[in-house]
Structures are given as C-alpha cells and as structure tokens.
Amino acid sequence: EAASAQNAARDAESRLRAERTAALLGSVRMFAEAGTVREAQNAIASALAAYRAWHEAEQTAQQAKTRYDALAQALGEIPELQLVAVISSDAGAYALKRARNAGIETVVVEPSVFPNDTSYDMAIRNKLKDMDIELVINAGFYPGIGRETAKSFRGKVIAVQPSLVPAFETLRGDAVHEAVLARGLKVTGATAYLADENGGIGPVLLQKAVPVLDDDDLTTLKRRVLTDAEWKLLPEAVKCFCAGKIRLHGGRAQILE
C-alpha cells in the first residue's frame, strides 16, 4: 500500500510537471507567432514569467520535502519520542504523505471551514487533547498555534523563529530575512523556544548564529538559516524536552547538563 501511494504521488507530480511544461511551451509558441516586435517582447516576457513561477513552485515544494525529511529523521533518532500524529492545514502537504507511509496518524484542519480563528484554534486544541498529546512540535504550521491551544499546552509547544531573539521577534517568515538584509547585518540565526500563553515567543531554549554573506539575497540567506540553524535547533530542543533537561524559572528556560 505504501508503494502504491508513492507511485500515485509520483504520477501526480509527473502530470503536474507536464501541465506546466505545456503552459510554458504555449507561451513560447505565442512568441513564434507574434507579428510585431512588441508582441514578441510580450510573448517572451510571458514565457519567462511562466517559467519563473514554475521553477519557484518546484523549489518551494522541494525545500518543504527536504525540511520535513530532515526533521523526521532527526526526531526518529530520539528514543524517548513517539510521534503520535501530524496535523496540517493543507490537505496536500508532503508531511502528511510521509506520515501516512510511516503509519502515523494524520489530521487535516482547514481554516476555511471554521467561522473564525477562535473556533479553528479550539478544534486543534480539542484534537490534541483527545490524542493525549504531551508535546506539540510546531514545524512551520500555518496559521500558527492559537491562544487556546497555547494555554492548554503551556510549556509543551516547541517552535523555531528564524532570527536571534529578541531581534525581529515580531516578524515571521521571509520578512525576517528581508529585514536582516535591509539593515546590513553581518550575523543572523535562529531561536528554538517554548510558546507563551498567547502562542508567541516565550522562553528561549537554544540559539544558533549564522553569518550573512556580502552576496546574500533572500533565497540564499533563507536557505542557510534553515539548513544551518533551524533544522538543527528544533530536533535538539525536542531531545532536551524528552530527556527532561528543560527547567523553567521566572519566565526563563535552563537546559540542564
């Protein structure tokens, strides 16, 4: 069954690739049939835009797969950890496919079917409670952990921020790296933390610095922070939690030796 699922996934990706190729070739044919220089320029621009969109989508999908594969492998090496379920807001998420193939329960909770953020958050909280979850690992979950979930699992939600907190702690995602580049910083990094009662950044667990290179752009900096810091910090923080090495005192976290 796992092999069949993998073959079906590969077939679906092949069909999608073929559709995108056909769209790109269609734009190129527009160029060949263009009767004026301006029409030719517009056709070329359309073809390039289609290719860039396709290429960026492929890169994003591959990065998501790589991130989850690395995380799943690292988490699988923690003897005290048992992965109970993977929850996503996207039914097509690669993490769900990989979890199913590994025999792990998967849950899809789509924000669009709920009237507001509170009811959505409550649904996630109730599902986690029903499964007797002891630790919530936020590995890029969108739209994030809500207040009700954070309150019910206070001190038990681990996540990573792609900056050296307190730097840029109010920003998320690409906005963090854009701010680093705009300020001309020489060092950035990532922070593993426990979520506070509002779902935001609470006690800091671990941090790792990453150099900013002179020729960095958003893509290269984001990738380096992800691979050199985020992927390493999240499993390490989870490992510390499972080993009982995290002690909280006065809003601060201490990692015991």
Side-chain angles (χ1 to χ4, degrees):
E1 293 182 0
S4 298
Q6 290 174 346
N7 291 335
R10 281 195 293 268
D11 291 342
E13 290 178 359
S14 297
R15 287 195 298 271
L16 182 59
R17 192 184 302 275
E19 291 172 0
R20 289 174 176 167
T21 301
L24 177 59
L25 292 176
S27 296
V28 173
R29 280 196 294 273
M30 288 173 55
F31 162 63
E33 297 168 357
T36 67
V37 173
R38 183 175 296 278
E39 289 173 341
Q41 291 173 335
N42 290 339
I44 292 174
S46 296
L48 291 175
Y51 176 76
R52 282 195 296 268
W54 176 18
H55 183 62
E56 289 173 1
E58 291 288 325
Q59 280 190 321
T60 299
Q62 186 57 47
Q63 287 172 1
K65 292 179 180 180
T66 303
R67 176 178 183 174
Y68 187 77
D69 283 340
L71 177 61
Q73 180 177 349
L75 293 177
E77 296 172 355
I78 302 174
E80 302 92 346
L81 178 68
Q82 177 186 358
L83 287 176
V84 176
V86 173
I87 299 179
S88 176
S89 58
D90 179 7
Y94 171 72
L96 296 176
K97 297 178 183 179
R98 198 182 193 285
R100 292 189 193 105
N101 291 338
I104 298 173
E105 181 180 352
T106 61
V107 180
V108 178
V109 187
E110 297 182 351
S112 60
V113 303
F114 294 88
N116 51 56
D117 292 343
T118 300
S119 60
Y120 178 69
D121 180 29
M122 291 286 287
I124 294 175
R125 186 200 68 170
N126 292 341
K127 185 61 180 178
L128 292 172
K129 281 186 167 294
D130 289 343
M131 293 186 291
D132 293 326
I133 298 297
E134 297 179 359
L135 173 65
V136 179
I137 305 170
N138 184 355
F141 178 74
Y142 180 84
I145 301 298
R147 182 173 298 178
E148 295 302 322
T149 300
K151 285 182 179 179
S152 296
F153 292 88
R154 188 171 183 177
K156 298 180 179 179
V157 179
I158 292 179
V160 174
Q161 166 75 358
S163 71
L164 293 174
V165 173
F168 308 117
E169 64 179 309
T170 61
L171 302 180
R172 295 292 180 268
D174 289 354
V176 176
H177 307 299
E178 290 170 349
V180 168
L181 293 170
R183 293 291 299 272
L185 300 187
K186 306 305 179 186
V187 177
T188 183
T191 302
Y193 63 89
L194 290 171
D196 62 19
E197 61 181 9
N198 296 314
I201 297 175
V204 170
L205 299 176
L206 301 166
Q207 292 186 301
K208 184 174 177 59
V210 174
V212 181
L213 306 182
D214 291 339
D215 59 349
D216 266 334
D217 57 19
L218 174 60
T219 300
T220 59
L221 182 59
K222 178 179 179 179
R223 183 185 303 118
R224 188 180 311 109
V225 172
L226 190 66
T227 57
D228 292 358
E230 292 183 69
W231 288 354
K232 291 180 171 59
L233 290 180
L234 189 56
E236 184 61 28
V238 171
K239 184 177 180 180
C240 290
F241 180 94
C242 292
K245 292 184 177 181
I246 299 175
R247 175 179 294 174
L248 299 177
H249 180 71
R252 300 176 60 184
Q254 178 186 4
I255 305 296
L256 304 178
E257 296 296 333

